[in-house]
Amino acid sequence: MNIPIIKLEVQGMKYAIHTALAEHSLLMDKSIQAAVEEYCTPGNIDRIVKAEAMQALDAAVKEEVRSFFGYGAVGRKAVREAVHHWLNKEFGEDDE
């Protein structure tokens, strides 16, 4: 009849592990909540939003400039003229 004793020991160990995990989970929840509250201050959120907005605007403007100069006839012409003007100025044949 050793089986009930083993069962009681295993159940006791199971309860101890469950309790320890529950306590650990509660401590983690408190730590995570504290980290979120510390991070999500109005000033920090404002700084992050501004930085992300500037990065998105920067990417959008760069893409439009690339499209203008790379795919548009007017943009390619402007680049070509600027390069020719610079080359002529640098190497002596300014057409102006």
Side-chain angles (χ1 to χ4, degrees):
M1 292 270 164
N2 290 340
I3 294 174
I5 295 172
I6 293 173
K7 187 174 181 182
L8 288 175
E9 288 177 7
V10 170
Q11 285 178 345
M13 192 169 27
K14 179 181 170 184
Y15 177 75
I17 291 170
H18 180 63
T19 302
L21 288 174
E23 289 173 3
H24 181 68
S25 178
L26 182 62
L27 288 174
M28 284 182 55
D29 286 346
K30 287 181 181 179
S31 294
I32 291 168
Q33 183 63 36
V36 168
E37 288 175 3
E38 183 180 327
Y39 185 80
C40 292
T41 62
N44 198 35
I45 297 296
D46 186 51
R47 180 186 61 79
I48 293 167
V49 168
K50 284 181 181 176
E52 289 300 317
M54 292 302 289
Q55 186 176 5
L57 288 169
D58 188 51
V61 169
K62 285 178 180 179
E63 180 58 32
E64 287 304 315
V65 169
R66 267 189 230 102
S67 292
F68 178 78
F69 288 118
Y71 302 116
V74 174
R76 284 193 302 273
K77 182 180 178 190
V79 171
R80 188 179 318 109
E81 288 175 359
V83 169
H84 286 213
H85 177 75
W86 182 83
L87 288 172
N88 288 331
K89 182 178 173 185
E90 285 295 312
F91 297 107
E93 291 186 29
D94 196 359
D95 60 345
E96 291 186 341

